[in-house]
Structures are given as structure tokens and as C-alpha cells.
Amino acid sequence: FLSKAMKLMLFEINKKTFYSLLLIFLSALFFTLGFPVKGVPLFFGTPILSLVLIIYMIEEKSLSFKSLFILFLFFSSFSYAFGYYWVPMSISQFSGEGIGISNVYGSFFILFLVPQLLLFFFIRKIVIMLFNVKEYIFWQAGLLAILEYFVPQFIPTHFGHNWLVLSPYLRFAQYFGVVFFTFLSFMIAHCLYSLVFKRGVNKLHFGFITVSLIIMFLICLLYTSPSPR
């Protein structure tokens, strides 16, 4: 009986581990698909889907600081494999080292791809533990956007950068920059998360997104120059 119970418990642990790794894998894949990758088309909105999965993992599971760090490491590692595969080759070309040792050197960049995400995980958890403000989303969106703007990264890759796919129709960007688009991406992602996993959407959040998109559309109509004849 004990043997069967142990096997069942190990199966459940392995299943949960596999499920978590799959979510992180998909999240990193969606993230990198929103940026130029050789031989792969550029997709609009996939970083928002990446945020949906990230929000699901940090909302639905009471993750410890250790688990959040592991989540960050796997996300960065998968993102490195999908979008920064060229780093070891560049190191090898310019340093003269073999591709093996260049891969070792390149792996250190994993910690510096999205360091703002690790800080977001930790600061968010601390603030929620101290002030119990988990249900307030605006400050979380603002925290991620501000961290992306101020925290140095190996190659700046922000969740809001993917909106550049819509250029030159982003006149709104010249007033608020990429910070606003990361903020908006998080708000949209959280609404999608709520709709799919909570079966409901906060009216205030949805209203903010709707008004923002309408204003962006109106600014585009008013200030986009007509094409010359």
C-alpha cells in the first residue's frame, strides 16, 4: 500500500512539474515570437499571451521566493534558447573560442535578459505580503513598466516593444513611450486571465483598456498625415 501511495505521489509531483515547465516554455515562446527572430514571422500580441501565462502562474499558485527565482531562471533560459541563440556564435566569432566554451559564456547572459521580471516577482510578493493589495492591478502594471524602463538589461526587450509592429500608427507613443504600452499590455493580459480563469472581467480595468485604445485610434486618425499623391 505504501509503495503504491509513494508512486502515486511521485506521479502527481512529476505531473505538476511537467505542467509548470510547459507553461513557462509556452510563455517564453510567446514572448520571443513578439520580437525579430531569424526565419520566424513577427507576431503582434504574443508577449501579451506570455504575460497571461505569467500572471496565471503567480496568481493561481502561492509561490515562494525560491519558486519565483526558478520560474525566472526557466523563463530566461527558454527565452535565451528561442531568441538569443546567436549570442554564443557571436562570442565564438569575436573571441576565437570554440562554440562549446562560447555556449558556457553565453549562458551567463541568462541572468541579464529580463532581470526586471525577477524584481517584479519579488517586489510584488513583498508588497502583497505587507499590504494585502493583490486585487489591485494598476500598481502591478505600473511596477512592471517602471522596472522595465529603469533596470539595465543585456538587450532591452520590453513587453511593450511588440506594439511597434503597428508602427507608424502609434502617434500615442510619442507622448508616453514604451512605458505606457507595457502598462497597457499587462492590463490587457490580466483582463484575459480573468476572463479565461476567473470567468469575469473587472469593469474598471476593461474600461481603462477600452478608453486607451479609443484615444490611440483617435490620435492616429487626427495626426497621421495623408499619403502623398
Side-chain angles (χ1 to χ4, degrees), residues 56 60 190-202:
Y56 171 79
E60 296 294 319
H190 201 281
C191 277
L192 291 174
Y193 156 77
S194 299
L195 182 65
V196 174
F197 298 104
K198 300 294 185 181
R199 304 299 181 185
V201 176
N202 184 291

Side-chain angles (χ1 to χ4, degrees), residues 15 17 19 22-23 39 63 66 69-70 79 81 83 95 102 114 116 125 147 161 170 187-188 198 201 205 209 227 229:
K15 188 169 68 172
T17 301
Y19 180 58
L22 179 61
L23 288 178
L63 298 179
K66 178 182 177 181
F69 182 69
I70 292 173
S79 298
S95 68
S102 296
V114 283
Q116 72 276 14
K125 184 173 179 63
L147 288 173
H161 280 158
L170 293 180
M187 295 299 300
I188 294 173
K198 300 294 185 181
V201 176
H205 301 161
I209 293 168
S227 56
R229 298 187 178 183

Side-chain angles (χ1 to χ4, degrees), residues 8 21 30 37 55 68 115 127 129 141 143-144 147-148 157 163 168 173 181-182 187 191 211 213 216 226:
L8 181 61
L21 286 175
F30 288 145
V37 177
I55 291 169
L68 289 171
V127 171
M129 288 171 59
L143 175 63
L144 178 61
L147 288 173
E148 277 195 339
T157 312
W163 288 81
F181 289 99
T182 292
M187 295 299 300
C191 277
V211 170
L213 294 176
M216 287 169 57

Side-chain angles (χ1 to χ4, degrees), residues 171-225:
R171 296 284 179 175
F172 200 71
Q174 66 184 342
Y175 303 106
F176 298 100
V178 71
V179 173
F180 175 78
F181 289 99
T182 292
F183 185 95
L184 183 61
S185 295
F186 189 93
M187 295 299 300
I188 294 173
H190 201 281
C191 277
L192 291 174
Y193 156 77
S194 299
L195 182 65
V196 174
F197 298 104
K198 300 294 185 181
R199 304 299 181 185
V201 176
N202 184 291
K203 293 181 180 179
L204 178 61
H205 301 161
F206 182 77
F208 170 81
I209 293 168
T210 303
V211 170
S212 298
L213 294 176
I214 290 174
I215 292 174
M216 287 169 57
F217 177 73
L218 290 177
I219 290 176
C220 175
L221 286 180
L222 292 173
Y223 293 101
T224 300
S225 302

